Amino acid sequence: MARPPCFSIDTMKRFLLCAMVAIAAVACKPGEDPNALWNPEFTITGAPTEPVEAYDVFTLTVSSLSDGVIYYEVDKPELVSIALRKRRVYSVATGAPEQDTPITITFTQDDAGGYDAASAVIKFTIKKKEAEEYPAGPSEDLDGVKVSFTESFDHITNPERGFYCPADIRKASQALTAEGVLAQRRLGRTLFYLGFIMSDFVDKDLPQEQLDLIQGCFDALREGGAKCILRFSYSDSEGETPWDADIDVVMRHVEQLKPLLQQNADVIFVMQAGFVGVWGEWYYTSHFNSNPKTDQDWAPRKNLVDALLEALPENRQIQLRTPKYKMKMYGMELKDTITAATAYQPTVLARLGGHNDCFGADANDRGTFESTVQRNYWKAETRYTIMGGETCEMSVYCLCSATLQNMKDYHWTYLNNTFHGGVISRWKETGCYNQIVDRLGYRLTLQDLFYTPNPSAGKEITITLRIGNRGFAAPMNPRNAYVVFKGSDGSVTKAQLDADPRTWHPGWHVAHASLTMPVSKGTFYLELSDPMLTNRPEYSIALANEGVFDSETGLNKLFELK
């Protein structure tokens, strides 16, 4: 092929030589070895210029001409979590420090493609998470004679709340005993996680020996003065297969268990859906479709939940492992969450709660939440349904401040006291464990009361109580609420409060009761007993006030007329 007449071989050589000189002049900085590799401009944008709040999230973007691998290192990984969102774009989530804390993040890029290694440092401060002040009680006096009370800050042992003792049971030798239950109660624990692992029965009916084992554990709970968080499963290890039983076998087991659930509801605090997957947590599964998408896919799980709702008395709730399950199986959206008007009814909506068995593990609690909508759904639902579970891993999201905030937001009632050990130890070491002990579930305290002046025999007396709840949640199951008058003549008169204790959410509440006094002298009490165990004082709620609760009668003393 003929060359252009003006482009000779000599011209081409001169052009290439000039180009090489020009490149060298651009690539090398003055005074540097011209044979060294060029170190490109390596920058990070998006870094905060002011101190950031606890639980803040912001984005960092890396800019570089090199294709070298990028690494990052945080000097305080317990307070900062970093996730790659897309190429060279990082999401940074902050924890909640106990004091203003400086943070340093170092990004480093390997040398590659003719470019030197490079690094950049980002520095910012996370602001201290201020402790939340509990709101003071009402300050204005009401009409009538005033009686004031002193709040107690001791640990109070109360039913249906707090840290639980876990018990996984495969065989009779692992069964609960009344002595063991009483021993835990002396430690302040009134709840047991009762997990029956039925791997021997994945293809057959439950034998009478298994049913007797379950009944024996219920009897031990009742004798020892405790209740259970109940779950059934077929495997407690990913290496143990099958992970669950065929749906027909599961439904038959539910049918067999129904009489036991009905007869022992008094010692069942709440039941978890269980049955599906390893540990009954609905994830790894052999028979229930691991990734359901259509209504048909969801049908086996929904049929199981419907059967459990029918098997368990309607005054008890069932918990699902994530908010997604209730929303998908029953077509719920955020706008459909429970309200004061729809709560405490024998409906699917009101009876399905949730349990979180990876609380505080990461930004989404290990898949518990898939979206902000799901988080908001549970925040609303748990005001009226039981929330509890366990921790499973150390992270920035289980520091004290984050823990207390999340327990408040999701109205936590119970928690495993043994797992995760590292998380429990952290709470003890950093000073919030005792607060969690006291605030899980409800903690009711009486500020004052007012009663009708000059009460006398044959006349009506009205008593107004001002009650605070310093816990994370309200009492969740049905509960009696009476003012009791024990007259000097031995008579006993009761009047029901005009309030349901399940509506005593965190904050302050006013309740009234009126009765006609048979005699002019006697003592008034507040009774908050269990309607299914009225003659068992250990199942009554004790107020967090000094010198008020009588453990022999289960009554809280209000005042005496002499």
Side-chain angles (χ1 to χ4, degrees):
M1 179 182 295
R3 300 185 185 92
C6 63
F7 202 88
S8 67
I9 293 293
D10 290 337
T11 302
M12 182 180 294
K13 290 180 178 179
R14 286 194 297 271
F15 173 80
L16 291 174
L17 179 61
C18 291
M20 292 173 64
V21 172
I23 291 173
V26 172
C28 301
K29 296 180 181 179
E32 291 187 351
D33 181 354
N35 295 317
L37 297 173
W38 180 37
N39 188 350
E41 189 173 325
F42 183 76
T43 60
I44 312 291
T45 58
T49 57
E50 301 288 339
V52 300
E53 300 289 341
Y55 313 125
D56 197 2
V57 178
F58 57 88
T59 298
L60 295 177
T61 302
V62 176
S63 176
S64 173
L65 296 177
S66 171
D67 287 327
V69 178
I70 297 174
Y71 306 90
Y72 56 81
E73 182 178 3
V74 184
D75 67 332
K76 298 181 178 66
E78 72 278 8
L79 285 175
V80 175
S81 175
I82 302 179
L84 179 65
R85 293 308 178 195
K86 57 183 180 179
R87 188 172 187 269
R88 298 186 176 180
V89 177
Y90 299 83
S91 176
V92 181
T94 64
E98 311 296 334
Q99 58 187 5
D100 289 357
T101 303
I103 300 294
T104 299
I105 305 176
T106 303
F107 283 87
T108 303
Q109 186 175 39
D110 285 348
D111 62 299
Y115 296 111
D116 273 341
S119 64
V121 175
I122 300 300
K123 294 186 177 183
F124 61 93
T125 297
I126 306 176
K127 291 196 287 187
K128 170 184 176 182
K129 175 64 177 177
E130 298 292 340
E132 180 185 2
E133 292 291 333
Y134 189 80
S139 58
E140 294 184 2
D141 285 348
L142 305 177
D143 293 336
V145 180
K146 180 178 181 179
V147 179
S148 297
F149 297 85
T150 301
E151 183 173 358
S152 171
F153 295 97
D154 294 337
H155 293 318
I156 306 293
T157 300
N158 262 321
E160 300 188 328
R161 59 157 301 276
F163 277 104
Y164 68 75
C165 178
D168 289 310
I169 299 172
R170 285 179 176 269
K171 52 190 177 182
S173 61
Q174 298 171 319
L176 293 186
T177 64
E179 293 77 13
V181 174
L182 282 167
Q184 289 297 318
R185 186 176 174 84
R186 284 191 287 270
L187 296 174
R189 299 183 192 122
T190 64
L191 283 176
F192 278 73
Y193 166 84
L194 205 52
F196 291 98
I197 304 165
M198 306 186 297
S199 54
D200 291 339
F201 314 113
V202 292
D203 57 356
K204 59 176 70 76
D205 279 2
L206 301 176
Q208 188 59 47
E209 291 82 2
Q210 179 69 16
L211 299 175
D212 291 343
L213 171 61
I214 296 168
Q215 181 60 57
C217 290
F218 288 145
D219 292 341
L221 286 169
R222 189 177 294 106
E223 185 177 346
K227 296 196 179 190
C228 71
I229 301 137
L230 181 64
R231 187 197 295 182
F232 295 91
S233 67
Y234 298 95
S235 170
D236 64 351
S237 169
E238 294 172 34
E240 178 185 15
T241 57
W243 291 323
D244 43 38
D246 182 81
I247 180 63
D248 292 335
V249 175
V250 173
M251 297 297 274
R252 170 59 182 155
H253 288 170
V254 172
E255 181 183 350
Q256 288 185 275
L257 291 167
K258 180 177 178 179
L260 293 179
L261 300 178
Q262 295 281 330
Q263 296 162 16
N264 296 283
D266 58 337
V267 291
I268 299 173
F269 172 51
V270 67
M271 184 175 183
Q272 296 179 351
F275 290 98
V276 178
V278 184
W279 306 290
E281 287 195 7
W282 280 43
Y283 188 65
Y284 301 102
T285 175
S286 301
H287 297 93
F288 285 80
N289 193 325
S290 295
N291 187 28
K293 296 182 183 300
T294 67
D295 289 347
Q296 184 176 357
D297 294 340
W298 283 104
R301 298 180 188 234
K302 182 177 182 297
N303 291 340
L304 169 60
V305 175
D306 289 341
L308 291 173
L309 287 167
E310 197 276 330
L312 195 67
E314 61 185 22
N315 64 354
R316 289 296 185 262
Q317 297 179 22
I318 292 173
Q319 293 178 304
L320 301 173
R321 177 60 185 86
T322 74
K324 173 182 177 179
Y325 295 135
K326 183 174 180 179
M327 298 176 79
K328 287 291 187 181
M329 289 189 297
Y330 295 94
M332 301 292 182
E333 298 180 12
L334 185 57
K335 63 180 178 60
D336 302 316
T337 53
I338 303 169
T339 65
T342 58
Y344 319 125
Q345 304 296 319
T347 62
V348 170
L349 176 67
R351 292 182 63 201
L352 287 181
H355 63 102
N356 183 349
D357 287 355
C358 249
F359 174 62
D362 59 24
N364 294 307
D365 290 356
R366 284 296 188 90
T368 299
F369 304 104
E370 295 179 345
S371 67
T372 301
V373 169
Q374 291 180 7
R375 279 190 171 276
N376 290 336
Y377 186 84
W378 256 11
K379 285 180 181 180
E381 289 266 298
T382 55
R383 184 172 172 84
Y384 306 102
T385 60
I386 300 167
M387 168 54 66
E390 64 184 10
T391 58
C392 73
E393 185 177 335
M394 296 276 281
S395 81
V396 357
Y397 297 94
C398 58
L399 293 170
C400 274
S401 297
T403 295
L404 294 172
Q405 184 64 48
N406 282 322
M407 286 185 170
K408 174 188 172 185
D409 288 345
Y410 295 96
H411 310 97
W412 275 71
T413 287
Y414 69 83
L415 193 68
N416 189 342
N417 189 50
T418 63
F419 189 76
H420 181 280
V423 177
I424 304 296
S425 295
R426 170 188 277 179
W427 291 341
K428 291 179 178 179
E429 292 166 0
T430 54
C432 64
Y433 178 79
N434 286 335
Q435 187 176 167
I436 295 170
V437 169
D438 289 339
R439 295 185 65 189
L440 279 170
Y442 59 87
R443 184 179 176 88
L444 305 180
T445 181
L446 190 57
Q447 174 177 287
D448 50 33
L449 65 78
F450 299 83
Y451 66 84
T452 306
N454 306 314
S456 60
K459 291 187 177 181
E460 184 178 76
I461 182 173
T462 296
I463 299 173
T464 300
L465 306 173
R466 297 204 288 201
I467 297 174
N469 182 357
R470 295 190 183 276
F472 297 124
M476 282 293 168
N477 282 333
R479 185 142 304 260
N480 292 328
Y482 297 112
V483 166
V484 179
F485 177 65
K486 292 187 175 183
S488 57
D489 61 349
S491 61
V492 178
T493 307
K494 289 187 177 184
Q496 187 167 330
L497 285 179
D498 62 354
D500 184 338
R502 291 177 295 181
T503 67
W504 292 345
H505 304 290
W508 291 94
H509 306 273
V510 177
H512 311 81
S514 299
L515 60 82
T516 300
M517 296 171 51
V519 295
S520 59
K521 295 181 180 180
T523 304
F524 286 88
Y525 301 88
L526 177 63
E527 175 187 333
L528 297 171
S529 60
D530 189 319
M532 302 184 78
L533 294 157
T534 53
N535 296 321
R536 297 289 300 275
E538 62 266 57
Y539 288 100
S540 292
I541 291 178
L543 296 178
N545 292 100
E546 293 183 6
V548 166
F549 185 69
D550 183 347
S551 61
E552 296 296 320
T553 63
L555 299 176
N556 296 277
K557 184 177 179 180
L558 299 179
F559 64 97
E560 183 178 359
L561 295 176
K562 299 180 179 180

